[in-house]
Amino acid sequence: MVEPANTVGIAVNPTPLLTDELDIVIPTIRNLDFLEMWRPFLQPYHLIIVQDGDPSKKIHVPEGYDYELYNRNDINRILGPKASCISFKDSACRCFGYMVSKKKYIFTIDDDCFVAKDPSGKAVNALEQHIKNLLCPSSPFFFNTLYDPYREGADFVRGYPFSLREGVSTAVSHGLWLNIPDYDAPTQLVKPKERNTRYVDAVMTIPKGTLFPMCGMNLAFDRDLIGPAMYFGLMGDGQPIGRYDDMWAGWCIKVICDHLGLGVKTGLPYIYHSKASNPFVNLKKEYKGIFWQEEIIPFFQNAKLSKEATTVQQCYIELSKMVKEKLSSLDPYFDKLADAMVTWIEAWDELNPPAAAAANGKA
């Protein structure tokens, strides 16, 4: 049986990486006591907490953390009518934190994710590994059988084209989980006691043209490179679907990263996922998505963006038009989702005007 790491007695990291360039985004409905465990690794960073549900509820944050907290009233005040694109009563609300951040990098984590241990028993600094992933190139155009060739102790294997060894910028770092795997409801129901105890010491680039199921509870990305596409869709209250927020964002960002020549990595770091959600509740949220994904995934596999789409925003608007044209026949929800995608980009650009980004060296 795998257990979380014990971080009591571990000093706060005296030399944390990118403290002035990274925000940590946490969606929550409860007190953030889990941050005590993460203190050695996360306390030096600024937190953006997006409170879901009842805005009158007081959220406790452990002392010593620098943070800003937004609830639904804040979202409505800041975005006005465009707040309709931010999901309610669903962890998809986290993407509001991506929008209001002014940092280059984002790390997002759920409040039921604890510090993991590597096979030697050492506590895993997940954020540090994400940063290393993002600062190293990716190799999406040719698969390296020794996994990430940029890691210490690895390299490109014999037969790897020298013309591709420079790699491309990494936009997304997708981490994994020990203990409770990220399963859908049917798999949870047939494997209720299954736990992930395998720690695979590997990072790899997801090849160009290959989609993947992105999980948002242990995720980091370069906001400047891909931020406007990290929209977690319309989920939760008032919507016919849930638990596909991160999946939707993952399909969108992968198509756009492939088009723009950016990389997506998966593997390390691991977190310890402490709590299994109710499979019956999950099934109610997921059941339409389970059917729809058999149509949605081929749609993304065949999505081709134009040569004129040279920015993330342009790519995303093109994708929204394709969603309206190709998926609205599947369910009226997708017509509404396509409109929300456009609203999201409009809201993003209002809070992150291109001129200001250029002045900050972000464009």
Side-chain angles (χ1 to χ4, degrees), residues 44-276:
Y45 296 87
H46 179 68
L47 310 181
I48 298 178
I49 301 163
V50 184
Q51 179 179 347
D52 196 15
D54 183 2
S56 67
K57 181 178 178 180
K58 175 73 173 176
I59 298 292
H60 171 72
V61 181
E63 290 186 14
Y65 278 95
D66 174 47
Y67 69 94
E68 52 193 300
L69 187 150
Y70 297 92
N71 60 35
R72 192 70 203 188
N73 293 339
D74 299 314
I75 295 171
N76 292 338
R77 173 178 52 82
I78 292 168
L79 297 185
K82 292 183 174 66
S84 61
C85 71
I86 304 298
S87 298
F88 184 58
K89 294 186 178 179
D90 193 279
S91 64
C93 67
R94 79 176 78 222
C95 61
F96 177 77
Y98 309 160
M99 183 186 286
V100 297
S101 171
K102 302 303 177 187
K103 304 290 181 62
K104 178 175 173 57
Y105 300 103
I106 295 288
F107 170 50
T108 185
I109 186 172
D110 284 3
D111 58 21
D112 62 350
C113 293
F114 298 166
V115 178
K117 292 187 292 190
D118 68 15
S120 72
K122 181 181 178 182
V124 174
N125 185 343
L127 177 51
E128 184 177 72
Q129 180 64 52
H130 275 302
I131 291 172
K132 290 179 179 178
N133 291 348
L134 290 170
L135 294 181
C136 286
S138 292
S139 53
F141 305 121
F142 201 89
F143 187 77
N144 191 57
T145 52
L146 202 54
Y147 307 120
D148 191 344
Y150 306 102
R151 285 188 71 191
E152 185 177 350
D155 211 324
F156 295 98
V157 298
R158 181 171 56 90
Y160 200 100
F162 283 87
S163 59
L164 296 177
R165 295 190 181 195
E166 184 177 349
V168 301
S169 298
T170 301
V172 179
S173 172
H174 178 257
L176 300 174
W177 344 268
L178 293 174
N179 196 39
I180 306 294
D182 187 29
Y183 285 163
D184 55 35
T187 308
Q188 282 183 292
L189 287 168
V190 298
K191 295 182 173 182
K193 296 183 179 180
E194 184 157 291
R195 300 292 182 265
N196 181 36
T197 61
R198 294 184 303 158
Y199 186 104
V200 180
D201 185 15
V203 179
M204 65 184 72
T205 298
I206 301 173
K208 181 180 180 180
T210 301
L211 297 176
F212 75 111
M214 189 175 82
C215 173
M217 66 178 158
N218 176 23
L219 180 72
F221 60 93
D222 186 320
R223 188 174 174 275
D224 292 351
L225 291 180
I226 200 63
M230 273 290 181
Y231 176 47
F232 277 42
L234 290 177
M235 302 282 154
D237 193 50
Q239 308 302 334
I241 185 175
R243 284 175 53 85
Y244 272 85
D245 51 332
D246 42 9
M247 299 294 157
W248 181 263
W251 297 327
C252 290
I253 63 98
K254 190 57 169 63
V255 169
I256 293 173
C257 283
D258 286 352
H259 177 75
L260 296 178
L262 300 170
V264 178
K265 291 187 175 183
T266 188
L268 299 179
Y270 282 87
I271 53 86
Y272 179 94
H273 187 204
S274 66
K275 186 176 66 176

Side-chain angles (χ1 to χ4, degrees), residues 239-311:
Q239 308 302 334
I241 185 175
R243 284 175 53 85
Y244 272 85
D245 51 332
D246 42 9
M247 299 294 157
W248 181 263
W251 297 327
C252 290
I253 63 98
K254 190 57 169 63
V255 169
I256 293 173
C257 283
D258 286 352
H259 177 75
L260 296 178
L262 300 170
V264 178
K265 291 187 175 183
T266 188
L268 299 179
Y270 282 87
I271 53 86
Y272 179 94
H273 187 204
S274 66
K275 186 176 66 176
S277 50
N278 187 309
F280 296 100
V281 173
N282 290 347
L283 185 60
K284 185 177 180 180
K285 295 177 180 180
E286 291 175 358
Y287 79 96
K288 286 191 176 182
I290 291 170
F291 288 107
W292 288 347
Q293 70 184 13
E294 302 305 319
E295 301 279 346
I296 297 171
I297 291 172
F299 160 78
F300 280 106
Q301 288 173 326
N302 293 298
K304 303 296 180 187
L305 299 169
S306 71
K307 292 181 180 179
E308 290 70 34
T310 58
T311 69

